[in-house]
Amino acid sequence: AYSYAYDRLISFNGVRSPQVSFLASSGFGTGAPQAVTVTYSYKGIGWFFGEQNLKTYSHKSVMIHE
């Protein structure tokens, strides 16, 4: 997930590295939830490409281990 996101991110203003975390709170057995969270900071370059203030976006995805 990290390599995929890193290779496809826009790198305006030098901010580029996503933070990736993985959590398997119940272990790796069948039926246990597995969570991946990706957080990315973005700073636009003007009105057309977003705000010039640094914004942080985050998304969490949870799947059940089969």
Side-chain angles (χ1 to χ4, degrees):
Y2 178 86
S3 295
Y4 179 87
Y6 184 85
D7 291 342
R8 289 163 179 79
L9 294 174
I10 297 171
S11 60
F12 297 130
N13 296 319
V15 178
R16 184 175 169 119
S17 298
Q19 303 297 317
V20 180
S21 64
F22 173 75
L23 178 62
S25 59
S26 300
F28 293 98
T30 301
Q34 314 288 303
V36 174
T37 303
V38 177
T39 304
Y40 176 68
S41 296
Y42 173 80
K43 184 175 182 181
I45 59 171
W47 66 270
F48 188 76
F49 291 107
E51 295 183 29
Q52 292 183 340
N53 297 325
L54 188 64
K55 292 277 190 173
T56 300
Y57 299 93
S58 183
H59 186 74
K60 179 179 181 179
S61 181
V62 179
M63 293 183 69
I64 302 300
H65 189 153
E66 295 182 13

